[in-house]
Amino acid sequence: MTGGAGAHAYPISRAKDDPFQSNEINYHYLMVDVDREKLKITMHRLQLTSGKSVWTEPDSVTIAVPAAKGAAAGK
């Protein structure tokens, strides 16, 4: 697990070609799930709206891991 909070929060200026264009403060953590066949990383972001806090999952990525030959053969 890794996080993006804890220090004094400040907005980040984004380049025009940056795919993430939000200027909001981004409190979040990344959950990393690992098993024999895949690695999944999910961003959990704290969204503050109308005085209420809600955890969202705005992004994730899954990376498939090919099985090793010995493991596939049951060795």
Side-chain angles (χ1 to χ4, degrees), residues 42-69:
T42 305
M43 176 188 188
H44 295 264
R45 183 175 190 267
L46 182 61
Q47 185 72 39
L48 301 172
T49 307
S50 302
K52 294 185 178 185
S53 58
V54 176
W55 285 100
T56 63
E57 294 182 9
D59 201 5
S60 68
V61 62
T62 300
I63 301 168
V65 178
K69 289 183 180 179

Side-chain angles (χ1 to χ4, degrees), residues 25-37:
I25 308 262
N26 191 11
Y27 293 113
H28 71 282
Y29 67 93
L30 302 177
M31 178 68 75
V32 181
D33 294 305
V34 181
D35 68 29
R36 291 178 164 235
E37 298 173 359

Side-chain angles (χ1 to χ4, degrees), residues 6-43:
H8 176 70
Y10 56 90
I12 297 172
S13 298
R14 305 280 178 183
K16 289 181 182 179
D17 60 345
D18 190 328
F20 186 74
Q21 287 296 320
S22 175
N23 289 325
E24 296 177 13
I25 308 262
N26 191 11
Y27 293 113
H28 71 282
Y29 67 93
L30 302 177
M31 178 68 75
V32 181
D33 294 305
V34 181
D35 68 29
R36 291 178 164 235
E37 298 173 359
K38 66 181 182 280
L39 171 79
K40 182 176 182 183
I41 304 168
T42 305
M43 176 188 188

